[in-house]
Amino acid sequence: HGVTAERPCTIAINMELTGNRFCLATMNHIMENKNGNDKTVGIGIENTLKRLDILYPNKYVFHKETRDSKYYSTLEIDLG
């Protein structure tokens, strides 16, 4: 998930708790899938969203995007 010994990579994780609002932001480089098997791509996110739906129904916002060969995600949860 964004780490290789072949070139420099960055993984950034930022967490913040302000009052009852938890925010998580991540960024990592996108690695080329060398084996050509994309069947498992996104499974972790899909499972995470299912769990968030169960634990925090209508109390979270998740956003993801890809740009400049990097993957960005943000999660905000209303803990109140």
Side-chain angles (χ1 to χ4, degrees), residues 21-67:
R21 181 160 287 307
F22 173 76
C23 297
L24 171 69
T26 66
M27 182 282 298
N28 63 277
H29 284 91
I30 298 171
M31 296 293 105
E32 179 182 325
N33 187 351
K34 292 183 179 183
N35 65 9
N37 181 3
D38 287 340
K39 291 181 182 178
T40 61
V41 173
I43 296 294
I45 292 173
E46 182 180 322
N47 289 336
T48 298
L49 293 175
K50 286 179 184 178
R51 289 175 186 253
L52 286 167
D53 283 338
I54 293 168
L55 295 170
Y56 303 102
N58 301 311
K59 289 189 159 195
Y60 75 90
V61 175
F62 176 76
H63 177 74
K64 63 180 179 167
E65 71 175 290
T66 302
R67 71 176 187 276

Side-chain angles (χ1 to χ4, degrees), residues 16-23 56 59-60 76-80:
E16 184 177 317
L17 180 63
T18 305
N20 289 332
R21 181 160 287 307
F22 173 76
C23 297
Y56 303 102
K59 289 189 159 195
Y60 75 90
E76 295 183 28
I77 303 173
D78 179 2
L79 300 173

